[in-house]
Amino acid sequence: MPFIPKHSVDYSLYLVTGRDLVPPGHDYYHTVEEAVKGGVTIVQIREKKCDTGEFIAVAQKTKEICHRHGIPIIVNDRIDVALAIGADGVHLGQTDMPVSIARSLLPEGSIIGVSCNTPGHSQKAREDGADYIGIGAVWGTQTKQLTEPIIGVRGVGEVLDSGVEIKAVAIGGITTGNVSRTLHGSVSVHGKALEGVAVVSEIMASTTPQQVARRLFEIVHGYKLAP
Ligand code: TZP
Ligand code: MG
């Protein structure tokens, strides 16, 4: 059974890790902990360049930080790693394991998120029983080699509408400078809004991750109180 009950998960500020982005002289675990102290509400561990043993070791230590602060940890792509460390859930791309199979393998109560880029994706994620969706890329990003077009805030609104009951975060190029525009501009024609934003480099590459996370959280929180 995951540590964090899924009904209580707050998607306001979703940190996706990027170990290689941490500035020289700064420590990855310290960056994550500082960001959590600043207001990150959920963490996804994303490792594209290491072997399974290292992934598990880094994920385990990252989980300990998250759980010490009472927030969930989600593993990108790898169900086996999620099971190995007792994560709260997994995040799946469009070409990863189908939601139904992931659900059957993971403990009851696990969180499953899906990356969505089109209204068809979010409709399917909802039908498949995903818990949340990540929509993007909303802006240009250096962090990931994109295989799909950048969809902008208008595109995010369209994807939001089709997956209407699922909680959603936007991802891709989100910074303290554009987070407000991202939230306001993404509201769909039917009034569906984002639950939060997911960021990688704005926090991971910062020399002051706690301050950056706090600023992002304040903006998201302010928006949710008075949209
Ligand atoms: N999926 C879509 S864009 C992206 C992912 C994982 C990377 C976002 O990184 P950043 O640094 O917040 O632009
Ligand atoms: Mg993937």
Side-chain angles (χ1 to χ4, degrees), residues 46 136-137 140-144 146 171-174 198-202:
R46 183 170 181 271
T141 178
Q142 301 290 320
T143 305
K144 182 182 179 181
L146 298 176
I171 186 165
I174 296 173
V199 301
V200 188
S201 55
E202 183 72 344

Side-chain angles (χ1 to χ4, degrees), residues 48 76-77 91-93 96:
K48 295 291 185 188
N76 181 272
D77 285 358
H91 185 88
L92 304 169
D96 294 326

